[in-house]
Amino acid sequence: MSYIFGTKLKVSIFGQSHSAAIGVTVDGLPAGFAIEPDELRAFMGRRMPGRGAHMTRRRESDEPEFISGLVGNVTCGAPLTAIIRNEDARPHDYDRFRDVPRPSHADYAAYAKFMGANDIRGGGASSGRLTAPLCVAGGICLQLLRGEGIRVAAYIVRIGQVTGLSVDPADVGGDDLRYLSGADFPALDAESGARMLAAIEDAASRGDSVGGVIECVATGVPAGIGDPMFDGMENRLASVLFGIPAVKGVEFGNGFGAACLRGSENNDAFAMHGGAVRTRTNNHGGILGGITSGMPLIFRVAVKPTPSIDMEQDSVSLTRREGVRLRIGGRHDPCIAPRAVPCVEAAAAIAILDALLCRRGEVL
């Protein structure tokens, strides 16, 4: 099913952007794990709408309501289900898009697939709103992984034409990740973060939008997780990451840059380090043959510009079968990338925990 991911850890997302509620069911969590609710709430707050000038004005508390799987705050072995009630939906804002699809949205593709029965409100089940329950599941997985010594952090390395700092892929520094925990904008330094924010504000002032690139690093991931071919670690990660609607590309390690190099430049030499096998460089991004190598796991995702812009665009009338002009208006992020950062972390945590459980063949 298209809304379910996982082998040992099964994550099922449900709901639509403007339905009464959205939610998630997670099956396969170990029993007896105490979830930290304040930590989960803070994590959810990072993607919550309405928190800054560069974010949508839609205001949702994004407070998960757990209806099964917990006794107190402790997992009990039953499937965990949480719902998030939609409190600031404005479904009538979307009535006109039933006939005139918005450029670069899923309106027309969903219309064709579901023969016009699709929920057009806010993009329905194709909306970025569905990343809220993804973050509920991922936020819990992040807490579980931390107990295994695995940490996941994401940050923005590009907004439009503005680039920022990245980590040393072979030696991810703790200072970088500590800086992120206290930063108002998810970049590795204040100067590039300020320039990125300026680029977002400039696009917004013109009624336009801008895209970005998010880099994510997972440290402490042991060697030997993942499988060759179709269940490789890249495959698993990409499957969840492309569940974030704005993501249009994923690359691991050197990614597409490796195509411009020779083998002598791209290869990572092995060496012993503190009694463990490591590589001197990390062009492979911590994954070889679909299996983790023990080096930091590093990947990047490309986030498209928000398709809802305050400019007239060309579209068509589905009933009149003729071209029309459309101005979307409404409440939209001029850049999706900042709110997508915790979604990327959540997706990575879900994929890594599932692969870890598959390797062990049992609960943690």
Side-chain angles (χ1 to χ4, degrees), residues 215-272:
E215 186 168 83
C216 185
V217 56
T219 60
V221 180
I225 294 176
D227 298 280
M229 292 294 287
F230 303 122
D231 278 336
M233 202 64 238
E234 295 109 328
N235 309 54
R236 294 168 186 262
L237 284 161
S239 179
V240 193
L241 289 164
F242 279 117
I244 302 169
V247 170
K248 297 300 290 183
V250 180
E251 65 174 5
F252 298 88
N254 271 357
F256 281 91
C260 305
L261 301 176
R262 296 189 176 188
S264 57
E265 299 170 306
N266 190 63
N267 287 354
D268 297 306
F270 286 105
M272 298 304 300

Side-chain angles (χ1 to χ4, degrees), residues 18-316:
H18 289 256
S19 58
I22 52 180
V24 63
T25 295
V26 186
D27 194 3
L29 289 171
F33 178 76
I35 295 171
E36 295 291 341
D38 290 341
E39 183 179 332
L40 180 61
R41 191 173 296 113
F43 181 70
M44 296 293 297
R46 291 170 52 201
R47 75 150 302 280
M48 191 167 63
R51 295 190 307 114
H54 57 285
M55 293 185 179
T56 172
R57 293 293 88 203
R58 180 174 176 177
R59 292 190 173 275
E60 299 284 1
S61 66
D62 280 1
E63 183 73 28
E65 177 184 336
F66 292 97
I67 61 176
S68 70
L70 293 180
V71 177
N73 293 324
V74 180
T75 56
C76 65
L80 182 147
T81 297
I83 61 171
I84 298 172
R85 300 188 186 275
N86 286 325
E87 300 166 334
D88 191 24
R90 297 181 185 175
H92 297 302
D93 288 356
Y94 296 88
D95 287 345
R96 58 200 174 106
F97 305 135
R98 296 184 189 280
D99 184 53
V100 181
R102 296 166 295 172
S104 287
H105 280 273
D107 298 350
Y108 174 69
Y111 169 87
K113 178 175 179 61
F114 299 111
M115 297 172 289
N118 57 301
D119 185 353
I120 199 72
R121 304 168 303 168
S126 299
S127 171
R129 181 82 184 119
L130 275 296
T131 60
L134 178 76
C135 283
V136 174
I140 294 170
C141 291
L142 285 167
Q143 293 184 27
L144 278 157
L145 289 175
R146 189 175 60 228
E148 297 290 310
I150 298 172
R151 293 183 178 271
V152 180
Y155 41 89
I156 298 174
V157 293
R158 187 183 186 101
I159 294 290
Q161 300 302 311
V162 179
T163 58
L165 296 181
S166 184
V167 297
D168 178 348
D171 185 20
V172 178
D175 290 343
D176 291 330
L177 306 188
R178 277 190 290 273
Y179 172 81
L180 277 175
S181 65
D184 292 330
F185 186 83
L188 287 179
D189 69 300
E191 190 273 333
S192 64
R195 289 190 293 115
M196 291 176 186
L197 267 176
I200 295 172
E201 290 163 1
D202 178 66
S205 71
R206 301 169 189 269
D208 212 339
S209 63
V210 67
V213 177
I214 298 169
E215 186 168 83
C216 185
V217 56
T219 60
V221 180
I225 294 176
D227 298 280
M229 292 294 287
F230 303 122
D231 278 336
M233 202 64 238
E234 295 109 328
N235 309 54
R236 294 168 186 262
L237 284 161
S239 179
V240 193
L241 289 164
F242 279 117
I244 302 169
V247 170
K248 297 300 290 183
V250 180
E251 65 174 5
F252 298 88
N254 271 357
F256 281 91
C260 305
L261 301 176
R262 296 189 176 188
S264 57
E265 299 170 306
N266 190 63
N267 287 354
D268 297 306
F270 286 105
M272 298 304 300
H273 182 77
V277 176
R278 291 291 184 264
T279 57
R280 293 196 175 99
T281 52
N282 190 16
N283 296 323
H284 65 285
I287 305 172
L288 293 167
I291 304 168
T292 56
S293 68
M295 293 296 289
L297 197 160
I298 298 181
F299 63 87
R300 284 165 297 282
V301 299
V303 179
K304 72 178 183 180
T306 314
S308 293
I309 57 177
D310 193 21
M311 294 179 174
E312 273 203 336
Q313 301 176 79
D314 287 323
S315 187
V316 296

